[in-house]
Amino acid sequence: MAHGSGSNCPSVWHKNYPVAQGNRQSPIDIVPHQALHDPSLGPVVLNYDQCTSMNITNNGHSVVVQFDDSDDRSVIQGGPLDNPYRLKQFHFHWGEKGCHGSEHTVAGNSYASELHLVHWNAVKYKTFGEAATAPDGLAVLGIFLETGDDHRWLHVITDALYMVKFKVSTTVNCFNPKCLLPSSLHYWTYLGSLTTPPLHESVIWIVLREPIIVSEKQLGKFRMLLFTGEEEDQRIRMENNFRPPQPLKGRKVRSSI
Ligand SMILES: COc1ccc(C[C@H]2SC(=O)NC2=O)c(OC)c1
Ligand SMILES: [Zn+2]
């Protein structure tokens, strides 16, 4: 859970963002046996072929890699989506040790971290900001990270983290997030929300069942990031930047499996 001072603690968000207690909040606990297998759900298709990554930023909540979303070069489509959604950014959530740190849980079990690839519906909406407030505006692909061997491509990100220890941004060369996908694209999908304020209920969630494996050493590099800026005298390590599971409120989770 995002601990720490005042506003970045999930349990008080509802005071400024009443939607925090809404009917389609994220994350949730995914219970595989209660998920509805829906044969009409086709495969998720990721066309990340063009490399359009621009910068990596410590935004004080997470570390975010942002993409040029001025055209449909990098899109996700298929699965529960009615049209292609444009890749805007990806970021991570993690804990302070062991296997806590993911936002979604599976049958009550959490993973060490969770990667979110954020896409927006540029067919129906003119801007990301507009899409972020629409019920079908965003599609976030969630990928669990489990500790084990080194992930050979995650190095490109973790080796750059020292440059964004404080709340700063730096450019990255072409980084194609396709290399962060597990071998199986089997997924669960449900209607949910942003997991940090403003918590808009605008996300079609697609959570992959298979985690990717990263080393403890690579994860440790996320934990040396700071929530605070260089000018601040307090140095607060960036960890536990995850929201706990929220009530399902009658929603159905469908599975492609
Ligand atoms: C339009 O305002 C926002 C605010 C927050 C986030 C980040 C949230 S949403 C998610 O999946 N994980 C997170 O930490 C955002 O993401 C695109 C967009
Ligand atoms: Zn996220």
Side-chain angles (χ1 to χ4, degrees), residues 93-138:
H93 300 267
W94 60 89
E96 60 193 72
K97 63 182 184 311
C99 63
H100 285 278
S102 65
E103 297 214 296
H104 290 89
T105 54
V106 180
N109 300 308
S110 58
Y111 286 86
S113 171
E114 187 172 331
L115 160 60
H116 288 159
L117 292 136
V118 180
H119 311 75
W120 62 285
N121 189 340
V123 167
K124 280 184 72 173
Y125 307 104
K126 280 191 293 302
T127 64
F128 171 79
E130 189 191 340
T133 60
D136 60 350
L138 302 182

Side-chain angles (χ1 to χ4, degrees), residues 192-206:
S193 73
L194 300 176
T195 61
T196 62
L199 299 168
H200 295 318
E201 297 189 326
S202 57
V203 181
I204 297 171
W205 277 96
I206 300 168

